[in-house]
Amino acid sequence: MTEQAVRWTAEQVLALAPDDASRKAGGRLGGAGPWSQIGGSASGSLWGLCKGSGSTPYRTVVDLAGPAYKCSCPSRKFPCKHALGLLLLWSAEGVGEPGEAPDWAAEWLADRAAKAARPTAPAGRPADEEGARRRAERRAARIGAGVTELEQRLADLLRGGLAGQEQSGYAAWEETAARMVDAQAPGLAGRVRELGTIPSCGPGWPARMLEEAALLHLLDRAWLGVAALPEQLAATVRSRVGLPASGEGEAVRDHWLVLAQYDSVSPDGRLTTRRIWLRGLGSGRPALVLDFGPPGRPPGLALPVGLVLEADVRFRPGSAGLRADLGERSSAAVPCAEVPAGVSTGAALEAYGAALRDDPWLESWPVVLGPVIPIPGELGWQLADAEGTSALPVPLTGAGSRSRPGLWQLAALSGGGPVTVFGECGHRGFTPLTAWQPGSPEPVPLA
C-alpha cells in the first residue's frame, strides 16, 4: 500500500460522483481488471491506464490534494467514471510503492503545481487554494441541504410513530441514504442505513431506533452550527458527517500490541470493514486502524492478535483520538511476553464517559478489564470484578452476543476464576474481544 495520503473509504469516494450512473460505472471499474500502469507518488497523486471499448486506453490522473482529476476519455462528467474507479481501487488496496509518474501524468501534475504557485489578486492566495476553498464551500452547502432534508425525515418519523416501521421496510431508508450520498455526506448515509436496519433486529428495537434517531438529530444540529464549535469537536463532527480529515494528526512511535481484530459487513453487503485495535506499550495509548474490502475481497491489512510491532502510528483529527493509520514498521513483529494490565469495571465506565466529551457519537471505548469473572445469568452475561463489588453487562448483540460461542469460550477459559479481557465498553455494556488466562501471555480471540 502506498502512503501518499490517508486512504478514503469507498463511500467517501462515491460521494464525489456527479450522479447515480457515475457511481455505478465507477464501482464496476474499481477493480484491477481493466487497469494497467497503475501508480502513485509520495506527494499524493494517482495515475493509471484504463482499457475501454477502443484500442487506446484512457489516461487517468488524480491529484488527491484537490482533489482534482484529468482523463483522456470524452466524458463531460466530473469526476468521470475512470477517475472514480481509480480512486476506488486505491481506497481498497492501494496502488503499490510510490514511484515516478509517466510523462502524460507528470505534465498535468507539473502544470497544476505551477498554477498553485502563482498568486492571485487581490487576496494573494494560490489559485488552487482559492479553488479548493470554493469547492469546500459548495460541498458544505450541499451537506447543509442534505442535513435539512434529513431533519425533515426524522421529524416525519416521530410524527408518524415507530410502530409502522416493521411493515414499511428498508427501501425508504435506503432512498434517504442515497440522498445523503448525493449531498456528499457519506457518514450521514451510513448512519441512515444503520437506522433503517434496526426494526429487523429483534425485541426492543423501538428503544434502539429512538436512541439512534436522537444521535442522528444531534449530529445534524452539530453540523448546522459547526462554525461555533471548539476545533476538536468540530473536527469530530466533520469526520462523522463523512468529510476527509484535513491536515495531519499527531504521529506516535511506539511498540504496538495487537489487542483484537474482527470484520463487519455494511448493511448493503458492499463493504467489509476490518477493525484492528492497538495499544502502545510505552504510551499506553489506544489506536483503531480500519481497513476496507470491496465486494468479494477481504481487507488487505491483517495483524494477528498478540503480536507487538514497532511502528509509527499517525492519529487522525477528531474521532476522540482513536482513529489512526499504521505507518512504517521498524522491525519484525514478535509475540508479546506479558498480559496487558487491566482496570476495574468502574474505571472502564469512567474512561468511556470521558471520551464522550470529545465525541458524543462514540459507541464504545477500548478497555482492558482485569481481573474479572464471566458470570452467565437469566438476564444475560456479566463481567464482574474479582472483588465482587461491581459488574458490566455483556450486550445481547454484537461481537460478544450470547448466541455466539465467544462467551462460552470465555467461560471455559475462566473456569470460574479471574481472567483479563480486552473489549469495547459502551452504553450497552462491555463486548469482550480477547482474553488471557492469569500468568499466560497467549491471547484467545473471542470475536
Side-chain angles (χ1 to χ4, degrees):
M1 182 186 94
T2 182
E3 298 295 339
Q4 311 102 318
V6 174
R7 279 199 277 166
W8 307 340
T9 68
E11 286 194 329
Q12 287 173 330
V13 172
L14 294 175
L16 300 171
D19 52 39
D20 189 56
S22 297
R23 275 192 293 276
K24 293 178 180 178
R28 289 193 294 269
L29 293 174
W35 292 95
S36 61
Q37 295 188 26
I38 302 172
S41 73
S43 60
S45 56
L46 309 170
W47 54 80
L49 297 178
C50 187
K51 182 173 177 55
S53 56
S55 59
T56 303
Y58 297 121
R59 298 174 172 180
T60 308
V61 195
V62 177
D63 183 356
L64 296 168
Y69 323 94
K70 173 72 173 178
C71 187
S72 61
C73 74
S75 174
R76 295 185 179 182
K77 296 181 179 180
F78 187 82
C80 68
K81 63 183 181 182
H82 305 100
L84 290 170
L86 181 60
L87 280 167
L88 284 170
L89 182 64
W90 168 68
S91 73
E93 58 188 31
V95 294
E97 294 299 321
E100 292 287 335
D103 292 342
W104 50 269
E107 182 179 354
W108 179 73
L109 293 169
D111 184 58
R112 278 183 52 78
K115 289 180 179 179
R118 291 199 294 265
T120 58
R125 289 193 179 102
D128 196 59
E129 182 181 341
E130 185 67 20
R133 182 188 63 80
R134 290 195 296 268
R135 287 192 295 272
E137 289 178 349
R138 288 196 296 269
R139 183 170 186 179
R142 293 184 67 174
I143 294 174
V147 164
T148 301
E149 181 179 345
L150 181 55
E151 283 290 275
Q152 184 60 55
R153 178 74 173 90
L154 293 176
D156 292 342
L157 170 68
L158 296 182
R159 189 179 298 112
L162 302 181
Q165 288 299 307
E166 281 186 301
Q167 288 73 39
S168 60
Y170 180 73
W173 291 108
E174 179 57 37
E175 180 181 352
T176 302
R179 299 283 291 173
M180 295 305 103
V181 173
D182 290 339
Q184 296 187 318
L188 292 178
R191 296 190 76 94
V192 168
R193 289 191 177 101
E194 291 179 6
L195 186 65
T197 63
I198 291 177
S200 61
C201 290
W205 69 263
R208 293 197 297 275
M209 192 167 197
L210 188 59
E211 290 173 1
E212 293 302 321
L215 288 171
L216 188 53
H217 169 68
L218 179 64
L219 183 55
D220 288 345
R221 302 309 300 176
W223 172 260
L224 295 176
V226 69
L229 296 177
E231 182 51 40
Q232 184 174 359
L233 183 56
T236 297
V237 171
R238 296 187 189 101
S239 174
R240 290 292 183 182
V241 166
L243 293 177
S246 59
E248 291 189 348
E250 178 187 5
V252 178
R253 187 175 188 79
D254 203 340
H255 290 81
W256 298 92
L257 169 62
V258 183
L259 290 170
Q261 173 180 288
Y262 66 94
D263 294 349
S264 59
V265 181
S266 62
D268 58 9
R270 295 191 301 175
L271 189 69
T272 299
T273 301
R274 176 162 294 165
R275 300 168 67 90
I276 302 175
W277 283 111
L278 306 176
R279 185 188 204 183
L281 296 182
S283 64
R285 185 165 181 175
L288 174 61
V289 177
L290 299 184
D291 200 21
F292 304 92
R297 280 188 285 173
L301 181 63
L303 298 175
V305 175
L307 291 186
V308 175
L309 52 144
E310 185 180 1
D312 293 320
V313 166
R314 184 171 295 278
F315 289 86
R316 299 192 181 192
S319 68
L322 282 179
R323 181 76 188 279
D325 297 285
L326 189 61
E328 182 180 356
R329 307 180 202 180
S330 304
S331 59
V334 296
C336 186
E338 57 186 29
V339 178
V343 300
S344 68
T345 57
L349 288 176
E350 290 178 4
Y352 175 55
L356 286 175
R357 292 198 299 265
D358 297 326
D359 186 353
W361 302 275
L362 190 67
E363 294 186 0
S364 59
W365 183 258
V367 176
V368 178
L369 285 181
V372 290
I373 301 174
I375 303 175
E378 293 184 2
L379 299 179
W381 288 75
Q382 298 183 74
L383 293 175
D385 288 329
E387 296 82 4
T389 56
S390 61
L392 284 174
V394 175
L396 298 182
T397 58
S401 172
R402 289 179 64 186
S403 62
R404 302 186 184 184
L407 279 174
W408 291 110
Q409 186 179 8
L410 177 59
L413 185 71
S414 164
V419 289
T420 299
V421 184
F422 168 75
E424 299 171 355
C425 182
H427 61 282
R428 293 191 178 95
F430 185 90
T431 299
L433 299 173
T434 308
W436 294 261
Q437 284 182 309
S440 173
E442 185 70 25
V444 178
L446 304 173

